[in-house]
Amino acid sequence: MEFDRVQTVASLSFDKETIPEEFIRPEKEQPARTASHHGPVPEIPAIDLGDPDQENLVRLIAEASKEWGIFQVVNHGIPCDLITKLQDVGKKFFELPQEEKEFIARPRDSKNIEGYGSKLQNNPQAKKSWVDHLFHRIWPPPSINYKFWPNNPPSYREVNEEYAKYMREVADKLLTTLSLGLGLDGHALKEGAGGEEIEFMLKINYYPPCPRPDLALGVVAHTDLSALTILVPNEVPGLQIFKDENWIETKYIPNALIIHIGDQIE
């Protein structure tokens, strides 16, 4: 039997404490096999984006980007209550009745990635990930298709538009700092990525509770196609970084953002 939404699979699977075969990862990819580390466990760098010492900030971000390709930032300027609201409207969307979520589903034949859905890969033979998602553009205004923005909860649009304003400021600061870290003019990376027309896309991942978390993965090992990924985490663990032949669990820092250098910059 074919299921489109992982949320539906999850609700049925708990009745029998198993999951469909198409979600079971090969043994070498199963979570227990990726969680080992010998010796002291390193932590990805955490950087104060409000550091008044610009030279120090450039150095720290350049080193973290070179050595890790990922780091966390605190004092980034996005209000804590706005992050809480952003997480709340996303959670409430996924709590809606299934038929209401389907109103903004990504069309099956669409070459665009926007909309509510459950998978991005086109290979029907590939193992499925234990995740549903909502994907849409939030900037610049001409690129936004509100068809894929939920009407419920009612505050969804207001919260996302306010978040987009602050997020652009964070991205500008990161791109400027990365440019300086490369010995370039501060505007170099932003201009190279599209200037004021850089597209910002929001993706909300929803991972339903899984009766066999030892067999499935929410997201498989990957790099990001973007220039930058700015991730708003929560207290639920699971994000791992591959470094020096080991998978390293990401420590949760309340109200921090996780910054990942994407393929376009790399």
Side-chain angles (χ1 to χ4, degrees), residues 19-212:
I19 58 176
E21 179 68 27
E22 60 263 33
F23 290 94
I24 298 176
R25 310 304 306 184
E27 186 176 351
K28 65 180 180 180
E29 295 180 16
Q30 290 174 8
R33 296 293 298 273
T34 67
S36 61
H37 188 276
H38 303 292
V41 180
E43 294 182 3
I44 71 171
I47 298 170
D48 183 351
L49 204 57
D51 189 341
D53 186 338
Q54 175 75 358
E55 288 188 8
N56 186 55
L57 181 61
V58 169
R59 178 182 60 80
L60 290 174
I61 287 181
E63 288 176 355
S65 301
K66 179 181 177 182
E67 296 298 323
W68 286 80
I70 193 167
F71 52 93
Q72 301 201 56
V73 294
V74 297
N75 294 327
H76 41 70
I78 303 179
C80 297
D81 65 330
L82 178 57
I83 288 179
T84 299
K85 289 177 184 176
L86 182 76
Q87 292 171 324
D88 185 58
V89 295
K91 182 173 180 286
K92 285 179 177 174
F93 167 75
F94 282 99
E95 291 173 348
L96 292 174
Q98 190 61 38
E99 56 271 20
E100 187 169 350
K101 295 196 287 284
E102 294 295 342
F103 283 129
I104 59 169
R106 173 179 176 260
R108 289 183 180 273
D109 58 350
S110 176
K111 292 182 169 57
N112 198 320
I113 59 177
E114 288 189 281
Y116 166 65
S118 299
K119 65 177 183 177
L120 293 175
Q121 72 268 29
N122 294 319
N123 181 4
Q125 306 303 319
K127 292 290 185 178
K128 295 181 180 179
S129 297
W130 194 266
V131 60
D132 293 330
H133 64 258
L134 175 62
F135 220 150
H136 60 72
R137 290 174 174 83
I138 58 174
W139 189 267
S143 75
I144 294 175
N145 187 347
Y146 288 110
K147 168 185 172 183
F148 296 115
W149 289 46
N151 292 320
N152 276 323
S155 60
Y156 185 91
R157 177 168 172 174
E158 178 186 355
V159 169
N160 272 268
E161 288 180 338
E162 186 179 3
Y163 173 72
K165 178 183 72 174
Y166 282 100
M167 180 52 56
R168 289 171 58 223
E169 294 175 358
V170 172
D172 280 357
K173 183 160 189 175
L174 290 168
L175 290 171
T176 297
T177 307
L178 286 164
S179 296
L180 295 172
L182 289 166
L184 305 172
D185 290 335
H187 58 78
L189 284 179
K190 181 176 179 178
E191 290 304 314
E196 295 303 321
E197 301 306 311
I198 292 177
E199 284 194 352
F200 287 75
M201 299 199 70
L202 179 87
K203 184 184 182 190
I204 304 174
N205 285 328
Y206 177 77
Y207 306 100
C210 182
R212 292 300 307 273

